[in-house]
C-alpha cells in the first residue's frame, strides 16, 4: 500500500482570495439587510407621520365640525341670531375642507373610502332634511324651527351621523396605531441589523487579524529571527521553511542564499589562510633579500674596492713598463669595478625604501627640496642650472629622507639630461586636489625630453634610453622615485609633452586627514 503524499497547503494568495470573497459576501448581506431595514423603517415612519396622523386629525376635526354645525343650527333656531347662522355656514365649509384632507390621506384604503362617502352622504342628508329647513323657517319668521331641531327624528338623525363619524375616526385611529406598530417593529429590525453588522465587522476584523498574525506575521518573525542569526555570524544555521507556500518558497530562496554565502565564506577563509601563509613566506623571503642586500653591500663592495685600488696601484707602480693598451685595460677594469660598486649601492638603497621607516611624520616639502638641492650643489653650480619654485610646496605625511631622495633623483635627472646649448631650467610647483586631500607636485625641465612611448619603460629598474657613454648612471633612479611615491600612497607619471621640449614629471601625494583638518 503506497503512502499518500501530504496535501499541499493552499497558497496565501488563494486564502486571501477566499477570505475576501467570504467577507465580501457577508458584507453584501449585512449592507442589504441594513438597507432594507432602513428603507422599511423610513417608509413605515412616513406612512405613520405623513398619512395616518394627519388622517386622524382630519377625521377628529370633521366630527368637531358636525357637532358645531348642529350646535349653531340649534342656537339660531332658539335666538334667530344671524351670527349663529354664519357660524353654521363656516363649519359647513370647514367640514368640506377637512373631508377633502381626510379623503386624500385615506384614499389607499377602500373600506375607509366607503366610510367617508357614507359619512358625507349622511351629513348632506342631515343638512338637507334638518338644518336647511330650520334655518329657512327661522329666517322667514315662520314658526316650528325650534320644534323641528329638537324633534325625536332630528335627534336620531344627528345621532346616527355622529355614530358614523365616531366609527370613521376609530377606524382611522386603528390604521394609525397599526402603522405605528409597524414602524416600531421595523425600528427593532433596523437596530438588530445595525447591531449584527457591528458584531460581524468586529468578528471579521478579529478573524483578519488572527489570519494575518498566523499566516503572515508569525512566519515573517520566524524567518527574520533565523536570518538575523545567520547575519550575526551563524552561517551554518539552516533556514527552516514554515508558513504558506509563498513563505516556504521565500525561506528556500533565503536558504539557497545562505548556502551560497557560507560557501563563499568558506572559500574566503581558505583564501585568507593561503594569503597568511604566503604573507609569512614573503616576509621570510624579504628578510632573506634584506640580509642578502646587506651581504652584497659589504661583502661584494670590499672585493671591488680592492680590484679598483690594486689596478690603480699597478698602473702607478709599473706605468712606465705598460703600453697604452695595457693602461686602457686597467682603466676598463677600474671603471667596471666603480660602476659595479655604484650599482650595488643603488640596489641597496632601492631595497631599503620603506624598511627603515618607523612611522610617517609631517614633512615640509620645501625643506625636503632644500636638502636635495644642497646635496646636488656642486652639480647644479657646474651646470649653471636654475631652479624655480612656481608655488610654495605643501606639508605632507611621509619619510623626510625618502622625500628628499625623491626630489634629488628628479632634479639630478633634469640636470643630467640637459641640452648642450641651453642651461638647465627646472620648475617645481604644487596644486591641491580639492576634497580628496591630494597634492600634485610637478617637476619640469627644458632638457632633451623623453619620447611618450617610453613613459612606462623609464620607471622599470635597469631601463636606459641612452648609451652609458652618453649619460652615466645605473638606470635605477626613476625606479626608486616610483617606489618612494607608491610607498607614500601616491602615483608618479611622465606627462605627455612634445619631444625635445623637456620632460614633466608629476607625482601625487596624499595630504593626510590630520593635516587636511588643520589646514581647513
Amino acid at each position: 500500500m503506497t503512502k499518500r503524499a501530504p496535501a499541499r497547503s493552499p497558497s496565501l494568495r488563494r486564502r486571501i482570495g477566499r477570505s475576501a470573497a467570504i467577507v465580501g459576501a457577508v458584507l453584501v448581506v449585512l449592507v442589504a439587510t441594513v438597507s432594507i431595514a432602513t428603507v422599511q423603517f423610513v417608509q413605515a415612519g412616513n406612512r405613520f407621520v405623513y398619512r395616518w396622523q394627519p388622517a386622524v386629525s382630519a377625521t377628529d376635526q370633521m366630527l368637531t365640525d358636525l357637532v358645531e354645525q348642529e350646535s349653531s343650527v340649534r342656537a339660531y333656531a332658539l335666538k334667530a341670531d344671524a351670527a349663529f347662522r354664519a357660524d353654521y355656514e363656516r363649519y359647513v365649509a370647514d367640514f368640506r375642507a377637512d373631508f377633502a384632507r381626510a379623503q386624500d390621506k385615506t384614499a389607499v384604503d377602500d373600506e375607509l373610502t366607503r366610510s367617508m362617502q357614507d359619512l358625507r352622504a349622511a351629513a348632506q342628508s342631515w343638512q338637507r332634511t334638518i338644518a336647511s329647513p330650520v334655518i329657512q323657517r327661522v329666517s322667514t319668521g315662520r314658526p316650528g324651527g325650534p320644534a323641528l331641531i329638537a324633534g325625536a327624528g332630528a335627534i336620531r338623525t344627528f345621532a346616527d351621523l355622529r355614530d358614523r363619524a365616531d366609527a370613521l375616526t376609530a377606524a382611522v385611529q386603528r390604521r394609525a396605531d397599526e402603522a405605528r406598530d409597524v414602524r416600531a417593529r421595523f425600528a427593532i429590525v433596523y437596530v438588530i441589523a445595525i447591531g449584527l453588522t457591528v458584531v460581524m465587522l468586529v468578528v471579521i476584523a478579529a478573524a483578519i487579524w488572527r489570519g494575518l498574525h498566523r499566516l503572515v506575521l508569525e512566519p515573517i518573525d520566524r524567518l527574520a529571527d533565523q536570518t538575523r542569526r545567520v547575519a550575526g555570524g551563524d552561517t551554518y544555521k539552516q533556514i527552516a521553511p514554515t508558513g504558506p507556500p509563498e513563505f516556504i518558497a521565500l525561506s528556500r530562496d533565503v536558504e539557497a542564499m545562505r548556502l551560497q554565502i557560507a560557501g563563499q565564506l568558506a572559500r574566503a577563509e581558505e583564501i585568507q589562510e593561503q594569503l597568511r601563509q604566503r604573507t609569512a613566506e614573503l616576509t621570510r623571503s624579504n628578510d632573506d633579500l634584506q640580509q642578502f642586500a646587506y651581504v652584497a653591500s659589504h661583502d661584494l663592495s670590499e672585493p671591488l674596492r680592492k680590484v679598483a685600488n690594486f689596478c690603480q696601484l699597478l698602473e702607478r707602480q709599473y706605468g712606465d713598463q705598460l703600453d697604452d693598451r695595457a693602461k686602457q685595460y686597467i682603466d676598463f677594469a677600474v671603471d667596471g669595478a666603480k660602476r659595479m660598486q655604484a650599482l650595488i649601492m643603488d640596489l641597496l638603497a632601492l631595497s631599503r625604501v620603506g624598511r627603515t621607516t618607523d612611522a610617517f611624520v609631517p614633512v615640509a616639502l620645501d625643506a625636503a627640496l632644500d636638502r636635495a638641492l644642497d646635496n646636488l650643489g656642486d652639480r647644479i653650480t657646474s651646470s649653471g642650472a636654475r631652479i624655480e619654485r612656481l608655488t610654495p610646496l605643501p606639508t605632507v605625511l611621509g619619510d623626510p629622507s625618502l622625500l628628499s631622495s625623491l626630489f634629488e633623483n628628479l632634479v639630478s635627472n633634469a640636470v643630467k639630461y640637459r641640452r648642450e646649448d641651453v642651461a638647465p631650467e627646472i620648475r617645481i610647483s604644487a596644486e591641491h586636489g580639492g576634497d580628496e586631500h591630494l597634492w600634485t607636485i610637478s617637476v619640469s625641465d627644458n632638457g632633451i625630453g623623453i619620447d611618450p612611448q617610453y613613459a612606462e619603460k623609464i620607471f622599470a629598474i635597469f631601463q636606459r634610453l641612452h648609451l652609458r657613454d652618453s649619460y652615466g648612471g645605473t638606470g635605477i633612479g626613476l625606479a626608486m622615485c616610483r617606489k618612494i611615491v607608491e610607498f607614500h600612497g601616491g602615483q608618479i607619471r611622465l606627462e605627455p609633452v612634445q619631444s625635445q621640449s623637456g620632460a614633466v614629471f608629476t607625482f601625487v601625494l596624499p595630504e593626510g586627514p590630520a593635516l587636511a583638518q588643520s589646514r581647513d
Side-chain angles (χ1 to χ4, degrees), residues 54-55 57-66 91-105 116:
S57 176
T59 52
D60 285 342
Q61 193 60 43
M62 286 168 56
L63 178 59
T64 301
D65 293 338
L66 291 174
Y91 286 123
V92 170
D94 289 344
F95 177 80
R96 293 194 189 98
D98 292 334
F99 180 86
R101 188 157 54 91
Q103 187 179 33
D104 179 63
K105 299 300 181 183
M116 289 283 294

Side-chain angles (χ1 to χ4, degrees), residues 75-148:
Y76 182 68
L78 294 175
K79 298 182 179 181
D81 187 349
F84 292 111
R85 181 179 179 181
D87 289 341
Y88 167 75
E89 292 175 351
R90 178 166 56 84
Y91 286 123
V92 170
D94 289 344
F95 177 80
R96 293 194 189 98
D98 292 334
F99 180 86
R101 188 157 54 91
Q103 187 179 33
D104 179 63
K105 299 300 181 183
T106 60
V108 295
D109 193 313
D110 294 338
E111 181 180 354
L112 293 179
T113 300
R114 288 192 297 270
S115 297
M116 289 283 294
Q117 298 298 331
D118 292 343
L119 177 61
R120 184 174 62 176
Q124 291 175 349
S125 175
W126 177 81
Q127 292 169 356
R128 185 176 60 254
T129 58
I130 303 298
S132 294
V134 170
I135 292 173
Q136 186 176 9
R137 289 184 181 187
V138 174
S139 63
T140 58
R142 289 184 297 163
L148 180 60

Side-chain angles (χ1 to χ4, degrees), residues 119-186:
L119 177 61
R120 184 174 62 176
Q124 291 175 349
S125 175
W126 177 81
Q127 292 169 356
R128 185 176 60 254
T129 58
I130 303 298
S132 294
V134 170
I135 292 173
Q136 186 176 9
R137 289 184 181 187
V138 174
S139 63
T140 58
R142 289 184 297 163
L148 180 60
I149 194 65
I155 293 174
R156 285 194 303 272
T157 302
F158 189 76
D160 178 65
L161 176 61
R162 186 167 183 169
D163 290 340
R164 289 177 182 271
D166 287 337
L168 177 62
T169 301
V172 173
Q173 185 63 52
R174 286 194 299 273
R175 301 295 193 279
D177 293 341
E178 292 173 357
R180 184 176 59 248
D181 294 340
V182 171
R183 185 183 67 168
R185 289 196 296 272
F186 279 115

Side-chain angles (χ1 to χ4, degrees), residues 9 29 32-33 37 53 59 115 198 231 242 275 311 339 364 398 417 431 440 462 475 489 497 504 506 512 516:
S9 175
V29 172
T33 303
Q53 278 191 337
T59 52
S115 297
V198 172
T242 59
L275 287 176
C311 287
R339 283 193 289 108
Y417 296 103
E431 180 181 359
T440 300
F462 300 136
V497 296
V504 179
T506 60

Side-chain angles (χ1 to χ4, degrees), residues 66-340:
L66 291 174
V67 172
E68 293 295 337
Q69 289 179 37
E70 195 271 339
S71 298
S72 298
V73 171
R74 186 181 297 276
Y76 182 68
L78 294 175
K79 298 182 179 181
D81 187 349
F84 292 111
R85 181 179 179 181
D87 289 341
Y88 167 75
E89 292 175 351
R90 178 166 56 84
Y91 286 123
V92 170
D94 289 344
F95 177 80
R96 293 194 189 98
D98 292 334
F99 180 86
R101 188 157 54 91
Q103 187 179 33
D104 179 63
K105 299 300 181 183
T106 60
V108 295
D109 193 313
D110 294 338
E111 181 180 354
L112 293 179
T113 300
R114 288 192 297 270
S115 297
M116 289 283 294
Q117 298 298 331
D118 292 343
L119 177 61
R120 184 174 62 176
Q124 291 175 349
S125 175
W126 177 81
Q127 292 169 356
R128 185 176 60 254
T129 58
I130 303 298
S132 294
V134 170
I135 292 173
Q136 186 176 9
R137 289 184 181 187
V138 174
S139 63
T140 58
R142 289 184 297 163
L148 180 60
I149 194 65
I155 293 174
R156 285 194 303 272
T157 302
F158 189 76
D160 178 65
L161 176 61
R162 186 167 183 169
D163 290 340
R164 289 177 182 271
D166 287 337
L168 177 62
T169 301
V172 173
Q173 185 63 52
R174 286 194 299 273
R175 301 295 193 279
D177 293 341
E178 292 173 357
R180 184 176 59 248
D181 294 340
V182 171
R183 185 183 67 168
R185 289 196 296 272
F186 279 115
I188 294 173
V189 173
Y190 175 75
V191 171
I192 292 174
I194 292 295
L196 287 176
T197 300
V198 172
V199 171
M200 289 303 298
L201 289 177
V202 172
V203 172
I204 290 172
I208 291 175
W209 167 249
R210 176 59 182 167
L212 287 176
H213 190 270
R214 185 173 63 88
L215 298 176
V216 178
L217 298 180
E218 289 182 356
I220 287 179
D221 289 340
R222 288 193 293 268
L223 179 59
D225 180 65
Q226 297 178 84
T227 304
R228 281 192 294 268
R229 292 180 61 181
V230 172
D234 190 5
T235 55
Y236 297 101
K237 170 64 178 177
Q238 184 177 2
I239 303 297
T242 59
E246 289 85 353
F247 286 97
I248 292 176
L250 177 61
S251 300
R252 290 172 178 169
D253 292 340
V254 175
E255 172 64 11
M257 182 176 63
R258 183 196 67 81
L259 292 175
Q260 184 177 5
I261 293 175
Q264 292 176 352
L265 287 176
R267 178 58 180 166
E269 292 175 356
E270 181 182 352
I271 294 175
Q272 188 176 8
E273 180 61 27
Q274 294 176 358
L275 287 176
R276 282 196 295 266
Q277 295 177 0
R278 292 181 181 180
T279 301
E281 293 175 359
L282 287 175
T283 302
R284 290 192 299 270
S285 177
N286 287 335
D287 293 339
D288 294 341
L289 287 175
Q290 185 176 11
Q291 185 65 29
F292 172 76
Y294 281 113
V295 171
S297 63
H298 292 84
D299 296 349
L300 294 181
S301 296
E302 182 61 24
L304 289 174
R305 281 195 297 272
K306 287 185 177 180
V307 170
N309 291 336
F310 278 104
C311 287
Q312 292 173 344
L313 182 61
L314 179 64
E315 183 179 9
R316 287 196 299 270
Q317 292 290 334
Y318 303 100
D320 54 349
Q321 301 178 18
L322 300 175
D323 57 10
D324 293 338
R325 183 177 295 275
K327 293 179 179 180
Q328 185 179 17
Y329 290 160
I330 292 175
D331 292 338
F332 287 159
V334 172
D335 179 66
K338 291 182 177 180
R339 283 193 289 108
M340 179 62 73

Side-chain angles (χ1 to χ4, degrees), residues 432-477:
H432 192 258
D435 294 338
E436 296 181 357
H437 305 302
L438 299 175
W439 283 98
T440 300
I441 315 299
S442 175
V443 179
S444 61
D445 60 55
N446 63 340
I448 62 175
I450 301 174
D451 195 319
Q453 65 176 323
Y454 302 115
E456 285 298 322
K457 182 179 179 180
I458 57 176
F459 292 105
I461 191 171
F462 300 136
Q463 294 297 323
R464 300 175 56 90
L465 303 181
H466 306 280
L467 296 176
R468 186 175 292 106
D469 294 339
S470 300
Y471 299 98
T474 59
I476 297 178

